[in-house]
Amino acid sequence: TMGGSESKGDKAPPKEDKVAPRPGKMEKMYERALREQKEREARGGDDKDEPGSSMRNGRGQIYNPQTGKWSELQPAQTQGRPHSSGSAEGTPTYEVKTFPSGNRYEGTWLNGKYHGKGVLKYADGRKYDGEWFNGVTHGKGHFHYSNGDQYVGEYRAGQQHGQGRFVWKNGDLYVGGWQKGKRHGKGKLSKVNGDGFNGMWKDGHPDMQILKNVHR
């Protein structure tokens, strides 16, 4: 996790200060987003979709996990330093910041954390370009690994979760479901040597129990 002075990983919140809450409708929506974030953390990061649940990003949009879509609200983005507080209140801001390690972030912030859409470039060559929520990758994004591998797809609470494509440097390709950073659900692996697997995955591997049942 990265604080205001920056550290490793794609979880990178700078230090938090205080800022006056915004009144009215936007304040209520940000307060709701904060409550949902705290509930997810209390569940140990198991961010299950719940009826009526929603999340906001720094572009003034509202995200509905049930539909997987963003809808426009009144944009609330200005130039300047990131506002900071202990809650999801305040006006999202835009900033380009280079950390002492050489990592560089360009995008929107809220409460001193990456929030909305932004690009984080690591000094070691990795890069994430996509959506953030409360300091972690969340939503749709594109991650470039330093070894040439790439992932394009959905994230949840800092992990690959949902539908996504993973392309290895050698040309191998996986397209399908992900859960908590591992291949999970229906997916297809195609290797350049002709091998592959098309079916159900569990915890990063083909679901052998299903294969056993098929061959009985």
Side-chain angles (χ1 to χ4, degrees), residues 39 44 90-91 114 122 133 135 146 150 158 160 183 192 207 216:
E39 289 172 0
T91 302
Y114 307 156
Y122 297 86
F133 182 80
S146 57
Q150 295 186 49
Q160 298 153 327
R183 289 170 285 184
V192 293
D207 193 331
R216 282 179 181 175

Side-chain angles (χ1 to χ4, degrees), residues 89-214:
E89 299 173 343
T91 302
T93 59
Y94 180 89
E95 181 182 8
V96 178
K97 184 172 183 178
T98 300
F99 297 94
S101 68
N103 293 356
R104 180 178 184 272
Y105 176 80
E106 179 177 354
T108 53
W109 304 67
L110 183 66
N111 304 330
K113 298 179 180 180
Y114 307 156
H115 192 91
K117 185 171 178 58
V119 179
L120 178 61
K121 295 181 179 180
Y122 297 86
D124 63 8
R126 292 174 295 154
K127 182 178 78 170
Y128 173 79
D129 182 354
E131 296 172 322
W132 301 80
F133 182 80
N134 206 24
V136 299
T137 53
H138 193 107
K140 295 181 179 179
H142 187 173
F143 197 97
H144 300 258
Y145 294 84
S146 57
N147 65 354
D149 297 345
Q150 295 186 49
Y151 171 82
V152 182
E154 296 175 308
Y155 282 84
R156 178 183 293 178
Q159 296 180 307
Q160 298 153 327
H161 194 105
Q163 293 296 307
R165 295 167 54 92
F166 195 102
V167 183
W168 283 266
K169 181 180 179 180
N170 68 351
D172 291 350
L173 170 68
Y174 171 82
V175 180
W178 295 78
Q179 181 173 286
K180 296 182 179 179
K182 298 180 180 180
R183 289 170 285 184
H184 193 92
K186 185 173 178 57
K188 182 179 181 180
L189 173 66
S190 303
K191 293 188 175 184
V192 293
N193 65 2
D195 294 339
F197 177 77
N198 186 7
M200 299 302 294
W201 295 73
K202 183 177 181 181
D203 294 330
H205 304 282
D207 193 331
M208 301 309 295
Q209 186 60 49
I210 291 180
L211 290 177
K212 290 178 182 177
N213 292 337
V214 170

